[in-house]
Amino acid sequence: AILSWIFDLTPKGIQRTEPVEVLSESQKAGEKQRRILKASDIIIVVLLIAEGILVYPKIFNNDDLRISRDSVGKIALAVLQFDNLTGDTLFNVWQGGVQDLLITGLSESDELSVRQYQSINSVMGRVEENYAAMTPRLIRDIGSKLDIRTVVNGSIMKAASEIRMDAQVIDTETNEIYKTFRAHGSSEDDFFLMVDSLSSQIRNYMEIKNIQEQRNSSTIQAFGYTRSSEAFKYYMHGLDANMNMDMGQSAEWMSRAVEADSTFTYALVMLAHAYHMNNEDGKAREVVIHANERKANLPLTEKLHLEHLDAYFFHTPVEEAIYAKQLIELDEMNPLSLIHISEPT
């Protein structure tokens, strides 16, 4: 683009563009006509189009997990053997043991298609011959041969009397780590409970991401936080009912979401407003009181949402506006914050 601005492609070849001030009036008129078909202009347009094609996905593709699926639409993933980083060879037996237990646990989900132990290790045996360690290229090759894009890779570590398992959800094409999960124990007796914990964390994460990907809504991304996929599903049904102005049904779904995860702040917020809009202010106030009893250890954003909710039902519009303004300052694009600002009090 810079070179096409400096040089012109003329019948006499490539020449440096003359300064405007040295051109005569007739030359200027001819230059205006000639520049309509100027090759450098075409080059600039082509370069800008090419740049747009390259930049567009980076700007507009804000999915943080591009889930691969099998032929029936289930989330496809594989669990690799865990690395024994304890320094004790007696733990080697758990490398495949943890892998097998995780495969079994994740396979219980109706939304996950987990590659089985034999197929994974068969592929591992074929590709590991060319690698000395679990490198990004090895992970990419494994993903390609298993026809998946998502793998779970992990390790077992030990320090004094504490044992820790870490598991990572990885994109095989980019080797980006989407999420890390952790479980703690004090001996091998705790291994089954630790694997169950990892399995539950990973399953909930993948199922919630699946719902978010299918809905593709900024509203869901902005205030749909929970670690329970069951609670999240109820929450989504509640949002649908809310959008259809069926507040009784919305309250019922939100109530189920809170039963599944009592720490689900935004389900509590939506439940209170659903009761309120359904002319059940007594129930709404009970929800607010319950929610504010557990706000002390919450992240700042969730705490402000509950403070705003409390002000909405029990205090003045001025106090409500103060919390709403703080929410906007934290994230001016958060749809729930904008709703707070615009709601009549």
Side-chain angles (χ1 to χ4, degrees):
I2 294 172
L3 290 175
S4 64
W5 180 264
I6 298 173
F7 298 98
D8 290 339
L9 186 63
T10 72
K12 297 180 181 180
I14 298 175
Q15 296 183 356
R16 186 182 181 88
T17 304
E18 297 181 50
V20 174
E21 60 270 16
V22 303
L23 298 176
S24 65
E25 291 300 321
S26 61
Q27 287 175 320
K28 290 179 181 178
E31 177 71 10
K32 290 178 181 178
Q33 294 177 357
R34 185 170 64 84
R35 289 187 66 85
I36 296 174
L37 299 175
K38 191 174 175 182
S40 61
D41 294 335
I42 299 174
I43 294 173
I44 291 174
V45 171
V46 171
L47 288 171
L48 289 174
I49 292 172
E51 183 180 6
I53 292 171
L54 292 172
V55 171
Y56 181 89
K58 297 181 182 296
I59 295 175
F60 296 101
N61 182 16
N62 56 7
D63 289 341
D64 59 345
L65 180 60
R66 296 164 292 282
I67 301 175
S68 57
R69 302 175 186 277
D70 66 6
S71 58
V72 295
K74 290 187 176 184
I75 306 167
L77 75 156
V79 181
L80 307 183
Q81 279 199 3
F82 273 46
D83 294 326
N84 177 17
L85 303 181
T86 65
D88 186 347
T89 57
L90 293 176
F91 284 89
N92 285 349
V93 67
W94 286 105
Q95 291 180 287
V98 172
Q99 177 194 21
D100 193 30
L101 290 170
L102 267 182
I103 290 172
T104 301
L106 293 174
S107 296
E108 294 176 356
S109 170
D110 293 333
E111 298 180 36
L112 301 181
S113 175
V114 187
R115 299 294 186 265
Q116 293 307 299
Y117 185 90
Q118 292 81 0
S119 60
I120 295 171
N121 291 323
S122 174
V123 168
M124 288 286 292
R126 293 200 302 270
V127 299
E128 275 188 318
E129 297 174 358
N130 301 320
Y131 300 91
M134 185 66 71
T135 63
R137 186 175 176 184
L138 172 57
I139 292 176
R140 186 163 54 249
D141 285 353
I142 292 170
S144 176
K145 292 184 182 300
L146 289 171
D147 192 25
I148 56 168
R149 186 166 178 170
T150 307
V151 299
V152 177
N153 190 33
S155 60
I156 305 169
M157 290 174 280
K158 187 175 186 296
S161 60
E162 182 180 5
I163 297 174
R164 192 176 80 187
M165 289 184 191
D166 286 338
Q168 301 169 332
V169 176
I170 302 174
D171 184 321
T172 61
E173 292 186 14
T174 65
N175 273 275
E176 180 181 355
I177 298 173
Y178 292 121
K179 188 76 172 178
T180 297
F181 305 93
R182 183 165 294 167
H184 297 269
S186 57
S187 70
E188 288 186 73
D189 294 336
D190 297 327
F191 270 32
F192 288 102
L193 291 176
M194 294 167 70
V195 174
D196 286 345
S197 174
L198 287 178
S199 176
S200 176
Q201 293 177 60
I202 296 169
R203 183 174 65 250
N204 283 314
Y205 173 76
M206 297 299 295
E207 290 180 349
I208 289 172
K209 283 298 179 185
N210 182 37
I211 298 170
Q212 290 176 329
E213 184 182 84
Q214 291 175 336
R215 293 297 187 105
N216 192 26
S217 167
S218 60
T219 303
I220 298 170
Q221 297 286 349
F223 57 96
Y225 180 76
T226 176
R227 291 188 175 90
S228 167
S229 59
E230 180 185 9
F232 193 76
K233 290 173 186 175
Y234 293 144
Y235 175 71
M236 293 308 306
H237 287 308
L239 282 184
D240 289 340
N242 193 288
M243 294 297 292
N244 292 325
M245 298 304 293
D246 186 348
M247 295 305 160
Q249 190 65 48
S250 178
E252 184 177 335
W253 283 117
M254 291 300 176
S255 180
R256 291 188 186 183
V258 172
E259 288 176 9
D261 179 4
S262 61
T263 66
F264 195 173
T265 299
Y266 301 114
L268 286 164
V269 171
M270 298 302 292
L271 175 60
H273 284 291
Y275 278 141
H276 173 61
M277 296 179 71
N278 202 43
N279 297 316
E280 297 180 273
D281 277 358
K283 290 183 178 180
R285 290 170 182 269
E286 288 178 10
V287 171
V288 176
I289 293 170
H290 167 70
N292 276 274
E293 288 175 350
R294 50 164 297 275
K295 69 185 178 185
N297 298 319
L298 290 176
L300 178 59
T301 302
E302 293 186 39
K303 186 181 295 185
L304 285 173
H305 279 304
L306 294 183
E307 294 281 10
H308 175 273
L309 191 68
D310 186 66
Y312 182 90
F313 282 97
F314 293 105
H315 301 288
T316 67
V318 174
E319 291 174 278
E320 180 191 355
I322 291 172
Y323 293 118
K325 183 179 179 181
Q326 291 180 57
L327 285 167
I328 292 294
E329 289 173 352
L330 282 177
D331 183 2
E332 62 182 12
M333 298 306 295
N334 187 320
L336 192 59
S337 301
L338 297 174
I339 289 170
H340 289 333
I341 278 289
S342 62
E343 274 185 347
T345 55

